[in-house]
Amino acid sequence: MLYSDKVMDHFSNPRNVGEIEDADGVGEIGNAKCGDIMKMYLKIDNNIITDAKFKTFGCGAAVATSSMATELIKGKSIDDALKLTNQAVVEALDGLPAVKIHCSVLAEQAVRSALSDYYTKQGIDPIPIVGEIKEPEE
Ligand SMILES: [Zn+2]
């Protein structure tokens, strides 16, 4: 089996799909290899991510990783969300095939991109906090 049960579960039944209309931060990121486009919406209150939703147009692994990423950051502080790595997303999904690792990078960067937007909206330069947002190269 190429994909773990958890990947199949999050692909068939993704959590937190949708948009947040009055989101505090919105991030969008894509990658050329799969043609995945991920949009991430965050609601932030007192440095806590109170809600997270996503829309992903892409491969099954991109849907599963964005679903898992929203589950991992909901209810967490911004600091914790910034520490979310793509490896943590992959581990939470019981692994991904090597050719799909870049989809988990996309999920990590989508979260960072939304946090970057959050800081920009607060009038704070996001680069020292969030870093540069990089679209995965492969
Ligand atoms: Zn993909």
Side-chain angles (χ1 to χ4, degrees), residues 40-54:
M40 182 76 65
Y41 302 82
L42 300 179
K43 196 82 193 137
I44 296 167
D45 191 21
N46 268 324
N47 276 326
I48 302 293
I49 296 168
T50 55
D51 201 8
K53 288 201 188 301
F54 76 93

Side-chain angles (χ1 to χ4, degrees), residues 27-45:
E28 187 173 344
I29 193 134
N31 88 58
K33 194 162 185 179
C34 286
D36 300 324
I37 300 166
M38 219 177 256
K39 203 159 181 185
M40 182 76 65
Y41 302 82
L42 300 179
K43 196 82 193 137
I44 296 167
D45 191 21

Side-chain angles (χ1 to χ4, degrees), residues 31 34 36 58-59 61-62 100 102-103:
N31 88 58
C34 286
D36 300 324
C59 71
K100 290 294 181 186
H102 65 272
C103 305

Side-chain angles (χ1 to χ4, degrees), residues 6 10 15-16 54 63-73 84 88-94 107:
K6 272 194 190 162
H10 277 264
R15 322 309 196 255
N16 310 309
F54 76 93
V63 172
T65 53
S66 30
S67 169
M68 183 53 89
T70 54
E71 286 285 275
L72 290 172
I73 61 170
L84 178 78
V89 174
V90 171
E91 274 167 31
L93 287 168
D94 293 336

